[in-house]
Amino acid sequence: MTDDAKTVINLLGFGRKNALSRASLAAMTDMTDRKVRRAIESARRDGLIIISAEDGSGYYFSNDLDEIERQYRIDHARAMALLYRLKTMRKMLRKAGRV
């Protein structure tokens, strides 16, 4: 996990009521918005479950299975959309003998 990720996760609390926006996290850490997004992604890749609030209010930790399921479904849909988008490129590259 990156140092930036450690900094960000130390600020996150549990539950929606403790959600922190990326703008707030950026201000609190003196990081850019992009750096905060990368830090959150780094923490998630290291296995931390960080929820994105439905109402856009920010990020937080949760043990609530309904919230975790909602985040799972959102992330799964994004992943599938990306894979579907790659399908056409893969076909073209295979045809050209590149993949």
Side-chain angles (χ1 to χ4, degrees), residues 66-79:
D66 290 334
E67 291 178 336
I68 293 168
E69 182 178 3
R70 182 188 62 78
Q71 188 66 50
Y72 171 84
R73 290 183 186 283
I74 289 168
D75 291 348
H76 185 269
R78 282 185 188 147

Side-chain angles (χ1 to χ4, degrees), residues 35-87:
K35 255 188 156 177
V36 170
R37 279 189 283 140
R38 283 189 199 133
I40 290 167
E41 182 57 30
S42 172
R44 284 174 166 167
R45 285 182 183 200
D46 281 353
L48 295 177
I49 296 174
I50 299 172
I51 304 296
S52 304
E54 283 180 88
D55 61 3
S57 60
Y59 298 93
Y60 59 95
F61 293 114
S62 179
N63 290 324
D64 181 289
L65 291 178
D66 290 334
E67 291 178 336
I68 293 168
E69 182 178 3
R70 182 188 62 78
Q71 188 66 50
Y72 171 84
R73 290 183 186 283
I74 289 168
D75 291 348
H76 185 269
R78 282 185 188 147
M80 292 298 101
L82 178 60
L83 288 173
Y84 189 76
R85 199 170 70 209
L86 292 174
K87 186 177 179 181

